[in-house]
Amino acid sequence: MNAVWTLCVANLREKKIQNGLTALLILLATLLLATSVNVILTTGNLFTAIHEKTNGSHQILKFTNKLHDPRMVNDWWSKQDGVATSKLLPFKNLTTVMYEGQEIPNLYLYMMNTPELPFGVDEPTFVKGDVRSNPATGTIWISTALAYAHGMSLGDHLGFTTGLEKFELEVSAIVIDVPYGAPFSNGIRIWMNTEDYQEKLSSMQVSDMYMMGLRFNDYSQNAYHWDRFENFLGTPFLESKDEFETISAFYLIINKVIAFAMSFLGVVMMSIALITIGFTISDAILSNYKTIGVLKSLGLSANKIILTYVSHYSFLAIISIIPGLLLSHFSSKLIVESSLSNLEMESTTSSIHGGMISLVVGVFVFLLVFLCVLIYSNKTRSIEPAQAIRYGMSEVENSKMTKRLGSSGVNKFGFASYPVAFVIGLRNLLKNRKGSLLIMVLATVTSAVLVFGFVLLNSIVSIEKTMPLWGYDSSDISVVVFNKAAFSRGDFEKEMLVDERVETIGWMGDELSGIFPSEGQTTGSKSVSLDIMDGNYDELGFATLKGNNPKNKNEIALGINVAKHLNKDIGDVTEVYIDGNKHTLTVTGIYQTIREMSNSARITVDVVKVYKPDYYATFLGYIMLKNTADSDDIAAELNAKYKNSVNALAKQTLIDSVFKEAVSILIVPMSIMGLMFVLVTFIIIYSTCRMNIRKESKTYGIYKSVGMTSIKIRQCVTSGVVVLSTIGALLGIVVGTSILPIVMESVLSSYGIVELPLLFNWGGILPMACISIVSAGFGSWLSSRIIAKTSPRILVVE
C-alpha cells in the first residue's frame, strides 16, 4: 500500500498543470449540473411554497359579460367539499397609470374594490407596509410585479385616469399577488379602499365586473367538480376561466429554459471531462508502459497499479466537486432570485438552497469519474512485463509499428511533394488520432453552444422582426380604448385614413371567452381567450403555422394547444359557445402564441354579429404605417389629441415592456455558460497538445537539429490544430442552428411554442464560431512553449 501511495503522490506532484486542468474541468461540470438541478427544483419549490402560503387559486373565474350571476356561482362553489372559494372581488379596468410624471406603457389594470381580509383564496402576502384588513382611504396596495419592475416603494404616489377624471393614490403596501404577478404579464391588480373605489371610479359608465378564485384540495379532481357544476348550470360555463397552468407558466418558463440549457451543457461538459480523463489515462499508460512493466516485474500487482490511478483521480474529483457544489449554491440563488423576484420575501430566500440534491449530484459526478478511471486503468492488466521492458509496448503493437515504419504509406499519399509545415502539422494529428478527435469534438460542441446562445439572444433582442411567429401582431401602433363613452371609432378612422402616413387599420373586440364543450372528454369544457378581429388578420401581421386566418363568419383558427386538446386539424368542424350562443365553425388555421400558452382562438367580428348585429369592435386598434419610423410621432400625437379616451403605444415600446425583462434574465447565465465552454476548450486542448508534444519530443529535437526554428515548429503544430478546430467549428454551426433549436422546441412546446422563431444573423454567427478556433489555437500555441525552452541535444537524447 505504501508503494501505491508513493506513486499516487508522485503523479500529483509531477503533473501539476495537467492535474489542475482536469480538476477545473470536473469543477465546471459539477457546477453546471448542480446549478441546473437546483434551479429546476428550487423554482418549482419556491412557487409551490408561495402558492401554498397564499392559499393560491388553481382557477380564476372572471365575470365580465353578465352571462352568469356571479353571486349564484360563488354560492354554489363555496358549498362544495374539497374546494376553497374566495370572496367575490368587484373590479373595473383602466389602462393608464402614471409614476413620477411618466406613463407606464402596456399595463392592463384591474382596479379592485378590496373586501376585508381574509379573501379565502389568493391571500395578498405583505412584503412591505403595515398589515391591514384592507387599504386605508387614499392609499392602495400594489403587487411586487409592479413595484420591483419600476422601482416603486412605500409612500410613492401613482396617478390614474378614467378618461374624465384624474386622481392619485399613495402606495401603502407591496404584496405578493400570485395570479397577477408573473414576469412578462401585463395584467396587474391594484387594491383600493372601498370608498376610493366608489368615489374615484364613479365617472366610468360601466358596472362592476367580478372575479373569484377556486382552490381544489386535489387539483386532479377539478374535472369531476366542473362536470357537476355545468350540470347545475345546464350549460357550459360561458364566462372566462384562467387555469393553473396559465397562472404558473410565466413564473417557470425562463428558469426552465435556463435550466435546460445548463443541464444539457452540464451533461456535455461531464462527457467531455470523462473522455478527457480516459484519454489522459490511456496516454499515461502508453507513455509509462515500460515503467509499469518494471513495477509488475518487481511484484506490484495489477490491482495495486489500478488503485494508483483510482486514488489519483478520486482525490482530484473530491477537491473539485466540493467547490463546484458550493459555487452552484450561489449561481442557482442568483438565477432564481433574478427571475422570481416577484415572489421574494425574507422568509422565502432560505428556500433557495442545494441541500441533499446537491449532495446527490456530487456523488453522481464522483461515481462517474470513479467508473471512468476504473474502466480505462483496467488496461494495465494486459501489460506483460517482458514485452513492456523490451519494446515499451506490447509485442503486437510493436509489430504493427514496425510494419508502418517499413511501409511506403507516406509515399502513397505523396507527402514528399507537400510543404514541410503542412506535413508536420498533419503528421501530428494523424499520429495522435484520439487527441485529434477530442479536439474536433470539443470545437464542435463549443461552437454549437456559442452559436445557439447568440442566435437565441439575438432573436429575443430583435423580436420585433418575428412578433407574428410569437403570436403577436406586427402593427406599428396599438391603440387601447379605455373610455368608450368619449370615443368615436368612425371619426377616429376617418381622420387616420386620410393621413398619408397610415396604411391600414384593424380593430380587436372586447375580451370574450370561447367555451368548447367536452364532447365526451374527461377534462370538462375548455375555456379559451378569443381574438375577435374587425379587419384582416393577415394585413396586420398575424401568422399561422398551417392553414389560414379566418375571414368568414363560419371560420375559426385555433391555438396549437387548443387544437391538440380538441384533436382538431385544418378542415375539421368544432362547436364553441360565445356569449352563451352556440356556433359551429370550420377550422381554417392553427397558430402558436406565447400569450395564454396557445390556449386561444381567432374569429372574425362577423361571428359575433350573427347573434349581436350591432356589435362594434372598439377595444384595441391596430395601425399599420407606410414607414415604421413615424410610429413614435403618431403615437404621441394620438395620445395628445385623444388623451381622454385612448392610449396609443408604438411597437417598440410594447416590445420593451414585455421582453426587456426576459433579455436581462437570460443574458447573464447564457454569457457565463459560453465563457465556460471557451475556457474548457482552451484547457483541454492545452492539456492534450502538451501531452502530445512530450511524447514527440525526440522528433521535434530532430527537426531543430536539422535547422527548423522553434517558432516554425510551433507554427506547424498550431496550424494543424487550427485546421482541425475549424472543421469542428463548421460542424458546430450546423448543430447550433439546426439541432439545438429542435431540442429547445421540445422544452417550449408545452408553453405553446412548437416552432422557435429564430433570426440567423451570420455576421454574428461566424465570429461566435471562430471563438472556439481562437481558443484552440491559443491553447495549442501556449502548450508548445516547451519546444522553445528545450535544446535540440536534450530533446534528441530523451
Side-chain angles (χ1 to χ4, degrees):
M1 196 64 190
N2 185 51
V4 172
W5 175 250
T6 302
L7 290 171
C8 179
V9 172
N11 285 332
L12 290 171
R13 285 178 176 174
E14 291 177 4
K15 302 177 180 179
K16 293 184 179 67
I17 295 179
Q18 184 176 312
N19 290 331
L21 297 178
T22 302
L24 182 58
L25 198 58
I26 297 173
L27 185 152
L28 293 176
T30 304
L31 173 61
L32 281 176
L33 286 173
T35 300
S36 63
V37 174
N38 283 338
V39 167
I40 292 173
L41 296 180
T42 302
T43 298
N45 291 341
L46 182 58
F47 176 79
T48 301
I50 294 297
H51 195 257
E52 293 286 341
K53 182 180 178 66
T54 60
N55 205 30
S57 60
H58 290 122
Q59 292 170 338
I60 297 284
L61 310 186
K62 285 186 287 189
F63 303 86
T64 58
N65 297 301
K66 300 181 180 179
L67 300 177
H68 299 291
D69 181 355
R71 290 178 176 79
M72 178 267 292
V73 173
N74 184 266
D75 182 61
W76 188 92
W77 280 105
S78 64
K79 295 178 180 178
Q80 306 308 305
D81 293 331
V83 183
T85 307
S86 75
K87 295 179 179 179
L88 269 181
L89 304 175
F91 71 93
K92 294 181 180 180
N93 291 127
L94 293 179
T95 60
T96 303
V97 56
M98 304 290 291
Y99 177 60
E100 294 183 343
Q102 298 292 323
E103 179 183 335
I104 301 175
N106 196 31
L107 284 184
Y108 192 70
L109 304 176
Y110 296 91
M111 310 301 291
M112 311 299 298
N113 183 359
T114 311
E116 287 195 359
L117 294 177
F119 293 167
V121 171
D122 287 326
E123 303 290 354
T125 302
F126 289 79
V127 177
K128 297 179 181 179
D130 294 332
V131 179
R132 294 174 52 94
S133 60
N134 54 19
T137 305
T139 69
I140 52 175
W141 299 340
I142 63 173
S143 69
T144 51
L146 179 61
Y148 293 167
H150 302 284
M152 298 176 184
S153 58
L154 300 181
D156 288 345
H157 287 79
L158 302 186
F160 304 91
T161 178
T162 62
L164 300 176
E165 181 182 347
K166 294 182 180 179
F167 59 94
E168 283 192 352
L169 296 171
E170 180 183 341
V171 177
S172 63
I174 297 174
V175 300
I176 294 175
D177 186 5
V178 176
Y180 291 91
F184 325 123
S185 60
N186 62 352
I188 300 292
R189 292 199 283 201
I190 305 292
W191 302 96
M192 300 178 64
N193 175 273
T194 298
E195 293 181 9
D196 291 330
Y197 179 88
Q198 294 173 347
E199 176 187 348
K200 306 297 185 184
L201 304 181
S202 60
S203 62
M204 298 180 67
Q205 298 179 3
V206 293
S207 57
D208 285 348
M209 295 174 281
Y210 296 88
M211 66 173 68
M212 58 178 279
L214 299 178
R215 179 179 176 83
F216 300 91
N217 292 349
D218 183 356
Y219 182 52
S220 64
Q221 296 298 312
N222 81 87
Y224 163 75
H225 291 287
W226 272 92
D227 285 340
R228 295 179 59 250
F229 174 57
E230 292 184 340
N231 286 333
F232 164 75
L233 287 179
T235 67
F237 181 69
L238 303 174
E239 297 279 7
S240 62
K241 177 176 64 171
D242 294 336
E243 301 286 353
F244 176 70
E245 291 76 13
T246 304
I247 294 171
S248 62
F250 286 113
Y251 284 108
L252 308 178
I253 185 170
I254 285 295
N255 278 357
K256 191 170 183 179
V257 170
I258 294 173
F260 158 76
M262 281 192 161
S263 58
F264 173 78
L265 298 181
V267 169
V268 171
M269 190 171 288
M270 192 69 235
S271 301
I272 292 172
L274 296 177
I275 293 171
T276 303
I277 290 171
F279 171 77
T280 303
I281 293 174
S282 298
D283 182 77
I285 292 172
L286 292 175
S287 301
N288 299 296
Y289 206 91
K290 185 176 291 186
T291 303
I292 295 172
V294 171
L295 292 173
K296 277 193 168 186
S297 68
L298 294 175
L300 197 65
S301 66
N303 286 338
K304 289 186 177 180
I305 295 174
I306 291 172
L307 185 57
T308 301
Y309 289 103
V310 171
S311 302
H312 176 192
Y313 284 97
S314 295
F315 175 75
L316 291 180
I318 291 172
I319 64 173
S320 304
I321 290 171
I322 293 174
L325 296 179
L326 292 175
L327 288 173
S328 72
H329 168 77
F330 296 104
S331 60
S332 57
K333 183 175 182 179
L334 177 65
I335 293 170
V336 171
E337 287 184 345
S338 65
S339 57
L340 291 182
S341 60
N342 295 352
L343 298 179
E344 185 182 350
M345 54 189 302
E346 292 181 2
S347 59
T348 61
T349 53
S350 60
S351 65
I352 304 174
H353 57 82
M356 186 59 67
I357 297 301
S358 293
L359 183 60
V360 171
V361 172
V363 171
F364 175 71
V365 172
F366 178 81
L367 289 176
L368 286 178
V369 174
F370 181 84
L371 291 173
C372 177
V373 174
L374 201 61
I375 291 170
Y376 279 93
S377 63
N378 199 52
K379 295 178 181 180
T380 59
R381 292 187 183 277
S382 61
I383 296 178
E384 297 292 338
Q387 294 178 10
I389 295 171
R390 181 177 181 183
Y391 303 115
M393 63 187 71
S394 68
E395 190 171 0
V396 174
E397 289 297 324
N398 182 69
S399 176
K400 289 180 180 179
M401 179 173 285
T402 302
K403 288 179 180 179
R404 285 199 300 266
L405 292 174
S407 69
S408 57
V410 172
N411 292 328
K412 288 180 182 179
F413 292 100
F415 280 177
S417 62
Y418 289 107
V420 174
F422 173 79
V423 174
I424 292 175
L426 186 61
R427 178 186 180 280
N428 183 56
L429 298 177
L430 295 177
K431 193 168 182 180
N432 301 284
R433 294 177 184 176
K434 290 182 180 179
S436 299
L437 180 61
L438 179 61
I439 290 172
M440 189 171 73
V441 169
L442 190 61
T444 300
V445 172
T446 303
S447 296
V449 169
L450 292 174
V451 166
F452 179 67
F454 169 78
V455 169
L456 182 62
L457 285 175
N458 180 63
S459 299
I460 296 177
V461 171
S462 306
I463 202 167
E464 71 276 0
K465 300 177 182 177
T466 57
M467 288 293 283
L469 299 177
W470 289 95
Y472 296 90
D473 62 284
S474 60
S475 63
D476 298 301
I477 298 174
S478 293
V479 178
V480 180
V481 181
F482 61 82
N483 186 1
K484 294 181 181 179
F487 179 75
S488 169
R489 173 180 150 180
D491 293 342
F492 183 87
E493 281 187 340
K494 187 180 297 183
E495 180 176 343
M496 285 290 96
L497 292 176
V498 297
D499 191 324
E500 295 180 353
R501 299 170 294 179
V502 175
E503 181 73 33
T504 187
I505 298 178
W507 294 91
M508 192 71 75
D510 293 301
E511 178 183 330
L512 287 179
S513 293
I515 313 300
F516 293 89
S518 61
E519 298 184 1
Q521 301 173 40
T522 59
T523 53
S525 61
K526 186 171 183 64
S527 173
V528 306
S529 174
L530 283 180
D531 290 339
I532 305 170
M533 177 61 69
D534 188 355
N536 190 300
Y537 278 105
D538 297 320
E539 289 181 358
L540 297 173
F542 288 90
T544 57
L545 291 176
K546 57 181 179 179
N548 302 298
N549 284 304
K551 295 180 180 178
N552 302 307
K553 63 182 180 180
N554 63 336
E555 296 177 344
I556 188 171
L558 302 177
I560 184 69
N561 282 341
V562 177
K564 288 179 180 178
H565 176 86
L566 300 175
N567 193 27
K568 299 293 184 181
D569 206 341
I570 306 298
D572 291 342
V573 174
T574 185
E575 292 182 349
V576 57
Y577 285 86
I578 305 172
D579 269 351
N581 298 277
K582 184 178 179 181
H583 298 262
T584 301
L585 305 176
T586 301
V587 179
T588 62
I590 294 174
Y591 64 92
Q592 66 177 15
T593 174
I594 196 70
R595 293 183 303 128
E596 308 291 341
M597 299 169 60
S598 288
N599 288 310
S600 60
R602 296 171 181 168
I603 59 174
T604 65
V605 72
D606 294 330
V607 177
V608 180
K609 286 186 175 182
V610 168
Y611 65 88
K612 192 184 291 185
D614 58 347
Y615 181 80
Y616 213 43
T618 55
F619 172 65
L620 182 62
Y622 299 108
I623 302 176
M624 295 290 289
L625 304 178
K626 296 176 182 178
N627 186 355
T628 303
D630 295 327
S631 57
D632 288 329
D633 293 337
I634 295 178
E637 293 172 11
L638 293 176
N639 285 327
K641 186 168 185 178
Y642 297 92
K643 59 183 179 181
N644 294 326
S645 57
V646 306
N647 183 20
L649 297 170
K651 183 200 317 188
Q652 193 59 50
T653 303
L654 288 167
I655 292 171
D656 289 343
S657 67
V658 176
F659 291 98
K660 189 175 182 180
E661 188 175 355
V663 174
S664 63
I665 294 173
L666 276 174
I667 196 166
V668 173
M670 296 294 284
S671 300
I672 291 174
M673 285 185 280
L675 289 174
M676 279 186 181
F677 265 83
V678 172
L679 178 61
V680 167
T681 301
F682 170 79
I683 290 172
I684 297 178
I685 290 176
Y686 176 89
S687 179
T688 302
C689 291
R690 189 178 179 87
M691 287 188 292
N692 291 342
I693 289 169
R694 286 190 180 279
K695 287 194 299 183
E696 298 294 315
S697 59
K698 186 180 293 186
T699 303
Y700 296 137
I702 294 171
Y703 292 160
K704 292 182 76 172
S705 67
V706 298
M708 286 191 72
T709 64
S710 298
I711 294 294
K712 187 66 175 178
I713 298 173
R714 294 176 69 187
Q715 287 175 345
C716 295
V717 173
T718 301
S719 62
V721 172
V722 168
V723 170
L724 193 63
S725 59
T726 300
I727 297 172
L730 294 175
L731 293 174
I733 292 176
V734 175
V735 174
T737 56
S738 302
I739 298 176
L740 292 186
I742 295 175
V743 179
M744 181 64 79
E745 286 170 356
S746 67
V747 175
L748 295 177
S749 60
S750 60
Y751 292 92
I753 299 297
V754 295
E755 293 184 8
L756 194 59
L758 296 177
L759 294 172
F760 298 100
N761 181 353
W762 293 99
I765 289 175
L766 294 178
M768 281 292 162
C770 288
I771 291 176
S772 66
I773 301 174
V774 173
S775 179
F778 183 64
S780 175
W781 177 261
L782 203 61
S783 68
S784 65
R785 288 185 302 173
I786 189 174
I787 297 175
K789 292 180 179 180
T790 311
S791 69
R793 180 181 177 184
I794 295 175
L795 289 170
V796 173
V797 169
E798 288 181 351

